[in-house]
Amino acid sequence: MQSDLIRKATEVLQGGGLVAFPTETVYGLGANAFESAAVEKIFSMKERPSSNPLIVHIAEISQLKDLVEKVEPMEQLLIAAFWPGPLTLVFPKSDKVPKIVSGGLKTVAVRMPAHPMALELIKSCGFPIAAPSANPSGKPSATHHEHVKAYFGDRIFRMEGGETQHGLESTVVQVKNKVPHIYRLGSVTPEDIERVTGVKPVIDTRSPHSPGTHFKHYSPETQLCVLTKEVWKTRIYQALEHGKRVGILATTESARSLRGFEVTVFDLGSESNLMEVGSRLYSGLIELDQQKLNIIFVQEFPKTGLGLAIMDRLQRAASR
Ligand code: AMP
Ligand code: MG
């Protein structure tokens, strides 16, 4: 039986409104992907540049045929391996997809999320849902319904699904001439993609073909600084000496080295569990940002596997 929540959210979407819903990556801010006027509201609510295309969310493979021109064998392999899950694929788009969804590009990004509430909602609506992350443009993505509430209050209908599992946005991939190109790093890693396709992916995270990667991203208001192991304690000590209120975003192990320092720590979990670190990253940025600190220091992570996606987000968040 359908829950009241799904029924109400469906009504809002069918009426051309916006719904914030949980996925396994981050919260999405969704509208009917086939209705330009509804999708338009996402851009104004987020103050998102209109050239930054959205991801279309589906619940069944059969929904692809209305959205894309064709699916290549390598894309089939990726779909079979990772859907439902945190992988977005970029396809040549069909004429049915409104221009506003694809930011004027000839391609469309599609993903099947793995969250039961998201899947149920899409099925209940009967149309695919276009949804970027549920945050004002440039801010850290919402990984808990409380973040969505803090960002938008009651201006949008909010589905409350607690904390999301991955906490990092989906990996965005386009297959071009039988080579996977990664436009955005995520919890499906380059290694995962090579294992499935047999081809080493090109990492192209500043691609002109993926406009979203050019914009300022994930940034807290408070200054954020990524520190290497070598300067970790010294730089923090110096900031404290200068009378700064210091926030620390670090693994349990790195935070332990700061015992006795007067700092506000957000613990990302053990360095042996990068999945957990990734899932807590935005919570940490959002929560430390609410504490009126002068500076937030975050430790560096090794740039392999999931560490690559984590460092990508941190470096973007730290750049001004
Ligand atoms: P968001 O929905 O905020 O997580 O961002 C969506 C991401 O997908 C952005 O980085 C976009 O640039 C990327 N994206 C969406 N559509 C396309 C597309 N057609 N081609 C390349 N990248 C895309
Ligand atoms: Mg986003």
Side-chain angles (χ1 to χ4, degrees):
M1 206 195 67
Q2 197 179 57
S3 71
D4 261 7
L5 183 62
I6 294 285
R7 192 176 44 74
K8 276 193 199 137
T10 304
E11 278 170 20
V12 173
L13 288 167
Q14 288 175 340
L18 304 183
V19 168
F21 62 98
T23 79
E24 80 282 25
T25 59
V26 301
Y27 275 73
L29 181 59
N32 180 348
F34 290 136
E35 202 185 318
S36 294
V39 174
E40 194 110 36
K41 293 179 190 165
I42 298 177
F43 285 88
S44 46
M45 183 62 68
K46 285 191 58 140
E47 296 184 34
R48 183 177 174 105
S50 61
S51 60
N52 189 0
L54 306 181
I55 294 170
V56 179
H57 294 71
I58 59 174
E60 294 174 90
I61 298 288
S62 60
Q63 289 180 296
L64 259 186
K65 67 176 187 315
D66 285 336
L67 297 168
V68 314
E69 280 289 306
K70 61 174 183 215
V71 181
E72 302 287 349
M74 190 180 276
E75 294 161 343
Q76 299 277 15
L77 285 177
L78 290 166
I79 288 172
F82 299 113
W83 282 9
L87 177 75
T88 295
L89 288 170
V90 173
F91 300 92
K93 87 175 191 68
S94 84
D95 293 339
K96 255 189 106 171
V97 178
K99 232 178 165 169
I100 183 162
V101 170
S102 61
L105 298 174
K106 292 198 169 88
T107 51
V108 62
V110 186
R111 160 172 124 82
M112 187 188 291
H115 197 291
M117 276 163 93
L119 290 170
E120 214 189 317
L121 179 66
I122 301 164
K123 283 182 192 159
S124 158
C125 286
F127 47 73
I129 298 179
S133 48
N135 52 275
S137 195
K139 293 276 168 253
S141 302
T143 56
H144 193 288
H145 61 252
E146 289 297 338
H147 303 155
V148 180
K149 189 175 175 186
Y151 280 143
F152 299 109
D154 293 324
R155 288 184 292 151
I156 45 172
F157 185 90
R158 184 177 64 246
M159 291 174 79
E160 303 199 338
E163 188 159 75
T164 62
Q165 182 197 352
H166 291 277
L168 291 178
E169 303 80 356
S170 59
T171 306
V172 178
V173 171
Q174 182 173 20
V175 176
K176 289 195 289 193
N177 303 321
K178 301 195 172 72
V179 179
H181 290 246
I182 300 183
Y183 294 150
R184 180 169 72 185
L185 294 155
S187 40
V188 172
T189 63
E191 293 87 339
D192 292 332
I193 289 167
E194 181 170 357
R195 184 171 40 77
V196 168
T197 60
V199 180
K200 200 176 177 64
V202 174
I203 300 179
D204 193 6
T205 52
R206 302 270 164 191
S207 175
H209 305 293
S210 191
T213 55
H214 302 199
F215 297 107
K216 175 176 166 265
H217 262 106
Y218 322 118
S219 302
E221 296 291 327
T222 318
Q223 187 190 351
L224 179 74
C225 181
V226 186
L227 295 182
T228 60
K229 261 207 168 84
E230 291 71 40
V231 298
W232 178 243
K233 272 176 96 164
T234 351
R235 288 289 305 280
I236 296 168
Y237 183 75
Q238 282 167 353
L240 289 169
E241 280 269 289
H242 283 91
K244 293 202 169 155
R245 286 187 305 277
V246 173
I248 301 291
L249 193 60
T251 59
T252 314
E253 292 83 356
S254 303
R256 206 175 281 145
S257 71
L258 299 175
R259 257 192 217 138
F261 283 50
E262 253 190 68
V263 291
T264 306
V265 175
F266 186 98
D267 188 337
L268 293 168
S270 170
E271 64 188 20
S272 64
N273 186 355
L274 283 190
M275 252 311 264
E276 188 185 0
V277 170
S279 77
R280 308 202 60 193
L281 204 61
Y282 292 132
S283 281
L285 288 174
I286 293 171
E287 286 177 30
L288 287 175
D289 205 23
Q290 289 165 348
Q291 311 228 10
K292 309 244 178 301
L293 301 161
N294 301 117
I295 188 160
I296 301 170
F297 290 113
V298 55
Q299 75 182 85
E300 195 179 55
F301 288 86
K303 284 188 178 171
T304 55
L306 197 50
L308 205 57
I310 292 172
M311 281 304 290
D312 170 79
R313 299 307 191 278
L314 287 177
Q315 276 161 347
R316 287 171 196 266
S319 73
R320 310 212 136 208

